[in-house]
CSV table of all heavy atoms in Angstrom, one decimal:
chain,number,residue,atom,x,y,z
A,240,VAL,N,15.4,18.6,5.1
A,240,VAL,CA,16.0,19.4,6.2
A,240,VAL,C,14.9,19.4,7.3
A,240,VAL,O,15.3,19.4,8.5
A,240,VAL,CB,16.3,20.8,5.6
A,240,VAL,CG1,16.6,21.8,6.8
A,240,VAL,CG2,17.4,20.8,4.6
A,241,VAL,N,13.7,19.6,6.9
A,241,VAL,CA,12.5,19.7,7.9
A,241,VAL,C,12.5,18.3,8.7
A,241,VAL,O,12.5,18.4,10.0
A,241,VAL,CB,11.2,19.9,7.2
A,241,VAL,CG1,10.1,19.6,8.3
A,241,VAL,CG2,11.1,21.2,6.7
A,242,ALA,N,12.8,17.2,8.0
A,242,ALA,CA,12.8,15.9,8.8
A,242,ALA,C,14.0,15.9,9.7
A,242,ALA,O,13.8,15.4,10.9
A,242,ALA,CB,12.9,14.8,7.7
A,243,LYS,N,15.1,16.4,9.3
A,243,LYS,CA,16.3,16.3,10.3
A,243,LYS,C,16.0,17.2,11.4
A,243,LYS,O,16.5,16.9,12.5
A,243,LYS,CB,17.5,16.7,9.4
A,243,LYS,CG,17.9,15.6,8.4
A,243,LYS,CD,19.2,16.2,7.6
A,243,LYS,CE,19.5,15.1,6.5
A,243,LYS,NZ,20.7,15.7,5.7
A,244,LEU,N,15.5,18.4,11.2
A,244,LEU,CA,15.2,19.3,12.3
A,244,LEU,C,14.2,18.7,13.3
A,244,LEU,O,14.4,18.9,14.6
A,244,LEU,CB,14.6,20.6,11.8
A,244,LEU,CG,15.5,21.5,11.0
A,244,LEU,CD1,14.7,22.7,10.4
A,244,LEU,CD2,16.7,22.0,11.9
A,245,SER,N,13.2,17.9,12.8
A,245,SER,CA,12.3,17.3,13.7
A,245,SER,C,13.0,16.1,14.5
A,245,SER,O,12.7,16.0,15.7
A,245,SER,CB,11.1,16.7,12.9
A,245,SER,OG,10.5,17.8,12.3
A,246,GLU,N,13.8,15.4,13.8
A,246,GLU,CA,14.5,14.2,14.4
A,246,GLU,C,15.5,14.6,15.5
A,246,GLU,O,15.7,13.9,16.5
A,246,GLU,CB,15.2,13.4,13.4
A,246,GLU,CG,14.2,12.7,12.4
A,246,GLU,CD,15.0,12.0,11.2
A,246,GLU,OE1,16.2,12.2,11.2
A,246,GLU,OE2,14.3,11.6,10.3
A,247,GLN,N,16.1,15.7,15.3
A,247,GLN,CA,17.2,16.2,16.2
A,247,GLN,C,16.8,17.5,16.9
A,247,GLN,O,17.6,18.4,16.9
A,247,GLN,CB,18.5,16.3,15.4
A,247,GLN,CG,18.9,15.1,14.6
A,247,GLN,CD,20.1,15.3,13.7
A,247,GLN,OE1,20.9,16.1,14.1
A,247,GLN,NE2,20.1,14.6,12.6
A,248,SER,N,15.6,17.6,17.4
A,248,SER,CA,15.0,18.9,17.9
A,248,SER,C,15.9,19.4,19.1
A,248,SER,O,15.9,20.6,19.3
A,248,SER,CB,13.7,18.7,18.3
A,248,SER,OG,13.5,17.6,19.3
A,249,GLN,N,16.5,18.5,19.8
A,249,GLN,CA,17.4,19.0,21.0
A,249,GLN,C,18.5,19.9,20.5
A,249,GLN,O,19.0,20.6,21.3
A,249,GLN,CB,17.9,17.8,21.8
A,249,GLN,CG,16.8,17.0,22.4
A,249,GLN,CD,15.9,17.9,23.4
A,249,GLN,OE1,16.5,18.6,24.1
A,249,GLN,NE2,14.6,17.8,23.3
A,250,ARG,N,19.0,19.6,19.3
A,250,ARG,CA,20.1,20.4,18.8
A,250,ARG,C,19.7,21.8,18.3
A,250,ARG,O,20.6,22.6,18.2
A,250,ARG,CB,20.9,19.6,17.7
A,250,ARG,CG,21.5,18.3,18.0
A,250,ARG,CD,22.4,17.9,16.8
A,250,ARG,NE,23.4,18.9,16.4
A,250,ARG,CZ,23.9,19.1,15.2
A,250,ARG,NH1,23.5,18.3,14.2
A,250,ARG,NH2,24.9,20.0,15.0
A,251,TYR,N,18.5,22.0,18.1
A,251,TYR,CA,18.0,23.2,17.5
A,251,TYR,C,17.0,23.8,18.5
A,251,TYR,O,15.8,23.6,18.4
A,251,TYR,CB,17.4,22.9,16.2
A,251,TYR,CG,18.3,22.1,15.3
A,251,TYR,CD1,18.0,20.7,15.0
A,251,TYR,CD2,19.4,22.6,14.7
A,251,TYR,CE1,18.8,20.0,14.2
A,251,TYR,CE2,20.3,21.8,14.0
A,251,TYR,CZ,20.0,20.6,13.7
A,251,TYR,OH,20.9,19.8,12.9
A,252,PRO,N,17.4,24.6,19.4
A,252,PRO,CA,16.6,25.3,20.4
A,252,PRO,C,15.5,26.2,19.8
A,252,PRO,O,15.8,27.0,18.9
A,252,PRO,CB,17.5,26.0,21.3
A,252,PRO,CG,18.8,26.2,20.5
A,252,PRO,CD,18.9,25.0,19.6
A,253,GLY,N,14.3,26.1,20.1
A,253,GLY,CA,13.2,26.9,19.7
A,253,GLY,C,12.8,26.8,18.3
A,253,GLY,O,12.0,27.6,17.8
A,254,VAL,N,13.2,25.7,17.5
A,254,VAL,CA,12.9,25.6,16.2
A,254,VAL,C,11.4,25.2,16.0
A,254,VAL,O,10.8,24.3,16.6
A,254,VAL,CB,13.8,24.6,15.4
A,254,VAL,CG1,13.2,24.2,14.0
A,254,VAL,CG2,15.1,25.3,15.3
A,255,ARG,N,10.7,26.0,15.1
A,255,ARG,CA,9.3,25.6,14.7
A,255,ARG,C,9.2,25.5,13.2
A,255,ARG,O,9.7,26.4,12.5
A,255,ARG,CB,8.3,26.6,15.3
A,255,ARG,CG,8.2,26.6,16.8
A,255,ARG,CD,7.2,27.8,17.2
A,255,ARG,NE,6.0,27.9,16.5
A,255,ARG,CZ,5.0,28.7,16.8
A,255,ARG,NH1,5.2,29.5,17.8
A,255,ARG,NH2,3.9,28.6,16.2
A,256,VAL,N,8.6,24.5,12.7
A,256,VAL,CA,8.4,24.4,11.3
A,256,VAL,C,6.9,24.8,11.0
A,256,VAL,O,6.0,24.2,11.6
A,256,VAL,CB,8.6,23.0,10.8
A,256,VAL,CG1,8.3,22.9,9.2
A,256,VAL,CG2,10.1,22.7,10.9
A,257,GLU,N,6.7,25.8,10.2
A,257,GLU,CA,5.4,26.3,10.0
A,257,GLU,C,5.0,26.2,8.5
A,257,GLU,O,5.9,26.4,7.7
A,257,GLU,CB,5.2,27.8,10.5
A,257,GLU,CG,5.5,28.0,12.0
A,257,GLU,CD,5.3,29.4,12.4
A,257,GLU,OE1,5.3,30.3,11.6
A,257,GLU,OE2,5.0,29.5,13.7
A,258,GLN,N,3.7,26.2,8.2
A,258,GLN,CA,3.3,26.3,6.8
A,258,GLN,C,2.8,27.8,6.6
A,258,GLN,O,1.9,28.2,7.4
A,258,GLN,CB,2.2,25.4,6.5
A,258,GLN,CG,1.8,25.4,5.0
A,258,GLN,CD,0.9,24.3,4.6
A,258,GLN,OE1,1.3,23.1,4.5
A,258,GLN,NE2,-0.4,24.5,4.3
A,259,ILE,N,3.4,28.5,5.7
A,259,ILE,CA,3.0,29.9,5.5
A,259,ILE,C,2.7,30.0,4.0
A,259,ILE,O,3.0,29.2,3.2
A,259,ILE,CB,4.1,30.9,5.9
A,259,ILE,CG1,5.3,30.6,5.1
A,259,ILE,CG2,4.4,30.7,7.4
A,259,ILE,CD1,6.4,31.7,5.3
A,260,ALA,N,2.1,31.1,3.7
A,260,ALA,CA,1.7,31.4,2.3
A,260,ALA,C,2.7,32.5,1.8
A,260,ALA,O,3.1,33.5,2.4
A,260,ALA,CB,0.3,32.0,2.2
A,261,VAL,N,3.3,32.2,0.7
A,261,VAL,CA,4.2,33.1,0.0
A,261,VAL,C,3.7,33.4,-1.4
A,261,VAL,O,2.9,32.7,-1.9
A,261,VAL,CB,5.7,32.7,0.0
A,261,VAL,CG1,6.2,32.6,1.4
A,261,VAL,CG2,5.9,31.4,-0.8
A,262,ARG,N,4.3,34.5,-2.0
A,262,ARG,CA,3.9,34.8,-3.4
A,262,ARG,C,4.5,33.8,-4.4
A,262,ARG,O,5.6,33.3,-4.2
A,262,ARG,CB,4.4,36.2,-3.7
A,262,ARG,CG,3.7,37.3,-3.1
A,262,ARG,CD,2.2,37.3,-3.2
A,262,ARG,NE,1.6,38.5,-3.8
A,262,ARG,CZ,0.3,38.5,-4.0
A,262,ARG,NH1,-0.5,37.5,-3.7
A,262,ARG,NH2,-0.2,39.6,-4.5
A,263,GLU,N,3.8,33.5,-5.4
A,263,GLU,CA,4.2,32.6,-6.5
A,263,GLU,C,4.0,33.3,-7.8
A,263,GLU,O,3.0,34.0,-8.0
A,263,GLU,CB,3.4,31.2,-6.4
A,263,GLU,CG,4.0,30.2,-7.4
A,263,GLU,CD,3.3,28.9,-7.4
A,263,GLU,OE1,2.1,28.9,-7.1
A,263,GLU,OE2,4.0,27.9,-7.4
A,264,TYR,N,4.9,33.1,-8.7
A,264,TYR,CA,4.9,33.7,-10.0
A,264,TYR,C,4.9,32.7,-11.1
A,264,TYR,O,5.9,32.1,-11.5
A,264,TYR,CB,6.1,34.6,-10.1
A,264,TYR,CG,6.2,35.6,-9.0
A,264,TYR,CD1,7.0,35.3,-7.9
A,264,TYR,CD2,5.6,36.8,-9.0
A,264,TYR,CE1,7.1,36.2,-6.8
A,264,TYR,CE2,5.7,37.8,-8.0
A,264,TYR,CZ,6.4,37.3,-6.8
A,264,TYR,OH,6.5,38.3,-5.7
A,265,PRO,N,3.7,32.3,-11.6
A,265,PRO,CA,3.5,31.2,-12.5
A,265,PRO,C,4.3,31.5,-13.9
A,265,PRO,O,4.8,30.5,-14.5
A,265,PRO,CB,2.1,31.2,-12.8
A,265,PRO,CG,1.4,31.7,-11.6
A,265,PRO,CD,2.4,32.8,-11.1
A,266,PHE,N,4.5,32.8,-14.2
A,266,PHE,CA,5.2,33.1,-15.4
A,266,PHE,C,6.7,33.5,-15.0
A,266,PHE,O,7.3,34.1,-15.9
A,266,PHE,CB,4.5,34.1,-16.2
A,266,PHE,CG,3.2,33.6,-16.8
A,266,PHE,CD1,2.1,33.7,-16.1
A,266,PHE,CD2,3.2,33.0,-18.0
A,266,PHE,CE1,0.9,33.3,-16.6
A,266,PHE,CE2,2.1,32.5,-18.5
A,266,PHE,CZ,0.9,32.7,-17.9
A,267,GLY,N,7.2,33.2,-13.9
A,267,GLY,CA,8.6,33.6,-13.5
A,267,GLY,C,8.7,35.1,-13.5
A,267,GLY,O,8.0,35.7,-12.8
A,268,SER,N,9.7,35.5,-14.2
A,268,SER,CA,10.1,36.9,-14.1
A,268,SER,C,9.3,37.8,-15.1
A,268,SER,O,9.5,38.9,-15.1
A,268,SER,CB,11.6,37.1,-14.3
A,268,SER,OG,11.9,36.7,-15.6
A,269,VAL,N,8.4,37.2,-16.0
A,269,VAL,CA,7.7,37.9,-17.0
A,269,VAL,C,6.8,39.0,-16.2
A,269,VAL,O,6.0,38.7,-15.3
A,269,VAL,CB,6.8,36.9,-17.8
A,269,VAL,CG1,5.9,37.8,-18.7
A,269,VAL,CG2,7.6,36.0,-18.6
A,270,GLY,N,6.9,40.2,-16.7
A,270,GLY,CA,6.1,41.3,-16.1
A,270,GLY,C,6.6,41.8,-14.7
A,270,GLY,O,5.9,42.5,-14.0
A,271,ALA,N,7.9,41.5,-14.4
A,271,ALA,CA,8.4,41.8,-13.1
A,271,ALA,C,8.2,43.3,-12.7
A,271,ALA,O,7.8,43.7,-11.6
A,271,ALA,CB,9.8,41.3,-12.9
A,272,HIS,N,8.5,44.1,-13.7
A,272,HIS,CA,8.5,45.6,-13.3
A,272,HIS,C,7.0,46.1,-13.2
A,272,HIS,O,6.8,47.1,-12.5
A,272,HIS,CB,9.2,46.4,-14.4
A,272,HIS,CG,10.6,46.1,-14.5
A,272,HIS,ND1,11.3,45.2,-15.3
A,272,HIS,CD2,11.7,46.7,-13.7
A,272,HIS,CE1,12.6,45.3,-15.0
A,272,HIS,NE2,12.8,46.1,-14.1
A,273,VAL,N,6.1,45.5,-13.9
A,273,VAL,CA,4.7,45.9,-13.7
A,273,VAL,C,4.2,45.3,-12.3
A,273,VAL,O,3.7,46.1,-11.5
A,273,VAL,CB,3.8,45.4,-14.8
A,273,VAL,CG1,2.3,45.8,-14.6
A,273,VAL,CG2,4.3,45.8,-16.2
A,274,LEU,N,4.5,44.1,-12.1
A,274,LEU,CA,3.9,43.4,-10.9
A,274,LEU,C,4.7,43.9,-9.6
A,274,LEU,O,3.9,44.1,-8.6
A,274,LEU,CB,4.1,41.9,-11.0
A,274,LEU,CG,3.5,41.2,-12.2
A,274,LEU,CD1,3.9,39.9,-12.3
A,274,LEU,CD2,2.0,41.3,-12.2
A,275,GLY,N,6.0,44.1,-9.6
A,275,GLY,CA,6.6,44.5,-8.5
A,275,GLY,C,7.0,43.4,-7.6
A,275,GLY,O,6.9,42.2,-8.0
A,276,TYR,N,7.3,43.7,-6.3
A,276,TYR,CA,7.7,42.6,-5.3
A,276,TYR,C,7.2,43.0,-4.0
A,276,TYR,O,6.8,44.1,-3.7
A,276,TYR,CB,9.2,42.3,-5.4
A,276,TYR,CG,10.0,43.5,-5.1
A,276,TYR,CD1,10.4,43.8,-3.7
A,276,TYR,CD2,10.5,44.4,-6.1
A,276,TYR,CE1,11.2,44.9,-3.4
A,276,TYR,CE2,11.3,45.5,-5.7
A,276,TYR,CZ,11.6,45.7,-4.4
A,276,TYR,OH,12.4,46.8,-4.1
A,277,THR,N,7.3,42.1,-3.0
A,277,THR,CA,6.9,42.3,-1.7
A,277,THR,C,8.1,42.2,-0.7
A,277,THR,O,9.1,41.6,-1.1
A,277,THR,CB,5.8,41.3,-1.2
A,277,THR,OG1,6.3,40.0,-1.3
A,277,THR,CG2,4.5,41.6,-2.0
A,278,GLY,N,8.0,42.8,0.4
A,278,GLY,CA,9.0,42.6,1.4
A,278,GLY,C,8.5,43.2,2.8
A,278,GLY,O,7.4,43.7,2.9
A,279,GLU,N,9.3,43.0,3.8
A,279,GLU,CA,9.0,43.4,5.2
A,279,GLU,C,8.8,44.9,5.2
A,279,GLU,O,9.7,45.7,4.7
A,279,GLU,CB,9.9,42.9,6.2
A,279,GLU,CG,9.5,43.0,7.5
A,279,GLU,CD,10.5,42.4,8.5
A,279,GLU,OE1,10.7,41.1,8.4
A,279,GLU,OE2,11.1,43.0,9.4
C-alpha cells in the first residue's frame, strides 16, 4: 500500500508516510487487564 501511495502521489493529496513507534505486546493479550492500553 505504501508503494502504491508513493507511485501515485498525485491521486492522494497531502499524503505522508512516516515511521512511528507504537506499543507492541510480545505475549499478545496475556495480562491485558494489568497492563492496560493507550489512546489519544
Side-chain angles (χ1 to χ4, degrees):
V240 173
V241 169
K243 290 176 183 177
L244 290 173
S245 300
E246 292 168 2
Q247 306 171 32
S248 57
Q249 294 303 314
R250 289 192 63 206
Y251 309 107
V254 166
R255 292 174 51 174
V256 177
E257 300 182 338
Q258 183 170 290
I259 64 172
V261 297
R262 290 310 235 179
E263 183 175 44
Y264 307 92
F266 291 91
S268 63
V269 174
H272 291 95
V273 181
L274 302 173
Y276 59 92
T277 58
E279 193 173 296

